[in-house]
Amino acid sequence: MTVWQRYLLLQAPGWILAAAVAYLLERYFSLPAWAGGGLLALLVLKDLVLYPHLRRAYEGARPAGAEALIGAVGKARQTLDPEGYIEVRGELWLAEARAPEAPIAAGSLVEIVAADGVRLQVRPARVAVPRR
């Protein structure tokens, strides 16, 4: 289910309740039908306008911290034999080269394959990173 569908599905009960209230106001309190329909349309329009601002709340959980770096490419700042520091997204992280790949020379590109707390597990990068 897409984020848009999830958002609409969660808004639908409010729209149904608002339609029921508008109907009851029209039936028992002589509220004009155009007024009830207009209020319902404003409610739906409000939800559609707010969607871009609320989208992130409906996207679900994303990994944070070291887990968010899995799959990213960094650069070894020192030789990883088997541990050392790498730079990823402008930050220095403690990394450990996986057993068959150790040692990894300083300046080499590495790919993050796992995270154990704040220690990253890396291997030599298999893809070239475009220069900025």
Side-chain angles (χ1 to χ4, degrees):
M1 177 179 295
T2 66
V3 175
W4 175 247
Q5 291 170 332
R6 187 177 309 127
Y7 179 76
L8 290 179
L9 190 63
L10 290 170
Q11 300 308 313
W15 298 340
I16 293 168
L17 181 62
V21 168
Y23 171 76
L24 292 174
L25 289 173
E26 176 191 355
R27 180 157 173 98
Y28 295 109
F29 296 102
S30 301
L31 179 73
W34 64 266
L39 290 173
L40 182 60
L42 283 174
L43 178 67
V44 172
L45 181 64
K46 178 229 11 144
D47 288 335
L48 296 178
V49 168
L50 287 178
Y51 171 72
H53 304 288
L54 300 174
R55 179 185 175 121
R56 293 191 113 192
Y58 291 89
E59 286 179 346
R62 286 190 247 173
E67 287 81 21
L69 296 174
I70 295 174
V73 175
K75 187 174 187 179
R77 286 292 172 200
Q78 57 188 182
T79 301
L80 305 179
D81 189 18
E83 289 183 344
Y85 283 93
I86 65 169
E87 182 178 350
V88 184
R89 299 179 186 164
E91 299 177 337
L92 287 179
W93 287 84
L94 180 62
E96 182 178 1
R98 293 254 166 144
E101 284 91 5
I104 297 175
S108 300
L109 294 179
V110 294
E111 179 183 0
I112 300 158
V113 294
D116 181 22
V118 293
R119 181 179 302 197
L120 303 174
Q121 302 289 321
V122 297
R123 67 174 177 217
R126 296 194 171 116
V127 294
V129 176
R131 292 184 181 249
R132 292 185 189 190

